[in-house]
Amino acid sequence: MMNDAQLLDDDARIAALRRLDVLDSAVEKPFEKIVTLVRTILAVPIATVTLVDRDRQWFKAQRGLDVQETPRSVSFCTHTIQQRDPLIIEDAHLDPRFADSPLVMGPPYIRSYAGIPLRTPEGYNVGSLCAMDTRSRRFSPADIAILSNFANIVCDELELRMIAQVDHLTGALTRRGFVEQAEREIARSRRSDRPTTLVMLDVDHFKSVNDTHGHVIGDQVLHQIAKIAGATLRPIDVFGRIGGEEFAILLPETGADEAMLVAERMRRAIADHPMRLPAGDRIHVTASFGVAALTPAVSTVTAWLERADTMLYAAKSAGRNCTRLADPA
């Protein structure tokens, strides 16, 4: 079935994987339970939820391995994602594709393999659910059916995970999703020694908007602010709804001074943008902003958010509709 265009379009497949926002994420119980069940029910020493990135395969969950990822070039799963049907290898020593693989010749000494493609709703294979043994074996139709059912559950969990990270009203990341991104951004910035800055914003007098016009109008205001953010920010920037009328923005590769310019541009865009109401009326709202660059003193996302939040409330105290920057010292 290699005539399937989606199986040949690796760039689109990688984009689908990126949308799931799961690579390099923390341990999560649903996936851990699945690999434990696969290993127990199929009586195999190794089971993994594998996601195939451009140059590596990364294990969202694993049993029987002591590594988090391996090069894609030596992986079984890169072959699995190139087809719609399960990939079954009864004896890797007899298969020319794998006989010389370092994963076969050396640890973990894979001899037999069964992999079910993990397919997104758009039809892209982003990885596979794998059962592996260190001896040759035949996987029965019942084994494959069990593994396929578990693969469907993995796909459902990946979708639920993504939905849980996106705020349905604004399309921004939820607090949970934003915190995960911020944790990765701290690690990336530390590794590369590159700047990154956090911005927090809060809609001014939002309670009076709700009290005067109703919560439906309040929701529309939040939705339109998210649209302004989408038009103002770069594709690499991360926008999240932290709670209520409070939002946060991650600005990778951005120092404090440049982040101030971004925050001010967005503040003016909100202040200058009349919020259209269903009946044709319009209201104007403003927002206050707090900006905090990542510094060596900031070790956690919580501490980083607190620094930006302190500046946000300094902006509120200064009269609202303004921006305040944390002292880098």
Side-chain angles (χ1 to χ4, degrees), residues 254-298:
T254 306
D257 292 341
E258 189 181 353
M260 279 292 289
L261 296 176
V262 174
E264 276 294 287
R265 186 164 63 244
M266 188 167 169
R267 183 190 64 78
R268 288 192 299 269
I270 292 170
D272 295 342
H273 179 80
M275 301 290 176
R276 294 175 178 82
L277 306 184
D281 297 331
R282 299 184 179 191
I283 60 172
H284 283 82
V285 300
T286 61
S288 301
F289 288 73
V291 179
L294 183 65
T295 67
V298 176

Side-chain angles (χ1 to χ4, degrees), residues 14-63:
I14 292 293
L17 175 59
R18 293 279 189 267
R19 282 193 292 275
L20 291 173
D21 193 29
V22 66
L23 288 171
D24 301 309
S25 57
V27 170
E28 293 175 70
K29 286 184 179 178
F31 303 100
E32 296 293 309
K33 287 179 180 178
I34 288 168
V35 291
T36 299
L37 286 167
V38 167
R39 193 164 77 159
T40 301
I41 294 171
L42 296 189
V44 291
I46 305 167
T48 65
V49 173
T50 306
L51 298 168
V52 182
D53 202 358
R54 194 174 300 279
D55 298 309
R56 60 172 177 156
Q57 60 174 1
W58 180 79
F59 306 120
K60 175 59 184 167
Q62 65 197 57
R63 290 292 181 273

Side-chain angles (χ1 to χ4, degrees), residues 9-319:
D9 191 346
D10 203 54
D11 286 339
R13 190 192 68 78
I14 292 293
L17 175 59
R18 293 279 189 267
R19 282 193 292 275
L20 291 173
D21 193 29
V22 66
L23 288 171
D24 301 309
S25 57
V27 170
E28 293 175 70
K29 286 184 179 178
F31 303 100
E32 296 293 309
K33 287 179 180 178
I34 288 168
V35 291
T36 299
L37 286 167
V38 167
R39 193 164 77 159
T40 301
I41 294 171
L42 296 189
V44 291
I46 305 167
T48 65
V49 173
T50 306
L51 298 168
V52 182
D53 202 358
R54 194 174 300 279
D55 298 309
R56 60 172 177 156
Q57 60 174 1
W58 180 79
F59 306 120
K60 175 59 184 167
Q62 65 197 57
R63 290 292 181 273
L65 293 178
D66 57 5
V67 294
Q68 193 64 56
E69 62 181 59
T70 69
R72 178 175 174 178
S73 57
V74 300
S75 73
F76 284 70
C77 295
T78 197
H79 295 271
T80 307
I81 65 170
Q82 293 170 358
Q83 58 189 53
R84 294 298 185 198
D85 298 324
L87 176 65
I88 310 299
I89 309 295
E90 295 186 359
D91 190 340
H93 289 181
L94 304 179
D95 191 312
R97 295 172 295 177
F98 307 110
D100 297 326
S101 167
L103 301 179
V104 174
M105 302 301 292
Y109 299 101
I110 297 168
R111 188 73 181 269
S112 53
Y113 168 97
I116 311 295
L118 300 175
R119 189 180 313 169
T120 68
E122 311 102 309
Y124 293 103
N125 290 342
V126 294
S128 62
L129 177 64
C130 310
M132 291 164 274
D133 208 330
T134 54
R135 60 184 178 86
S136 61
R137 64 173 284 173
R138 175 179 176 270
F139 290 94
S140 70
D143 293 337
I144 304 306
I146 291 167
L147 200 58
S148 297
N149 286 334
F150 279 127
N152 289 335
I153 296 171
V154 171
C155 291
D156 289 343
E157 285 294 335
L158 288 170
E159 285 298 306
L160 287 170
R161 185 184 182 283
M162 184 172 67
I163 291 167
Q165 291 190 336
V166 176
D167 175 56
H168 73 280
L169 174 64
T170 62
L173 288 179
T174 60
R175 185 183 185 92
R176 171 192 166 188
F178 187 86
V179 166
E180 283 194 15
Q181 288 278 18
E183 286 172 344
R184 290 182 215 177
E185 181 56 21
I186 289 175
R188 187 203 66 79
S189 180
R190 299 280 192 243
R191 281 197 311 269
S192 61
D193 195 27
R194 301 288 297 167
T196 186
T197 303
L198 175 67
V199 177
M200 291 189 69
L201 69 110
D202 186 271
V203 182
D204 297 327
H205 301 297
F206 187 69
K207 183 178 185 299
S208 68
V209 173
N210 278 333
D211 290 346
T212 303
H213 301 283
H215 288 278
V216 172
I217 300 306
D219 286 351
Q220 292 204 4
V221 168
L222 298 179
H223 178 72
Q224 291 189 45
I225 283 176
K227 288 183 68 175
I228 291 170
T232 305
L233 301 174
R234 305 166 298 179
I236 65 168
D237 299 331
V238 179
F239 184 64
R241 186 182 180 190
I242 301 303
E245 67 275 19
E246 194 170 54
F247 297 89
I249 305 165
L250 274 178
L251 299 173
E253 299 291 327
T254 306
D257 292 341
E258 189 181 353
M260 279 292 289
L261 296 176
V262 174
E264 276 294 287
R265 186 164 63 244
M266 188 167 169
R267 183 190 64 78
R268 288 192 299 269
I270 292 170
D272 295 342
H273 179 80
M275 301 290 176
R276 294 175 178 82
L277 306 184
D281 297 331
R282 299 184 179 191
I283 60 172
H284 283 82
V285 300
T286 61
S288 301
F289 288 73
V291 179
L294 183 65
T295 67
V298 176
S299 58
T300 66
V301 174
T302 299
W304 201 11
L305 286 167
E306 285 176 354
R307 274 178 77 83
D309 203 42
T310 299
M311 291 301 99
L312 169 60
Y313 281 94
K316 294 278 189 185
S317 298

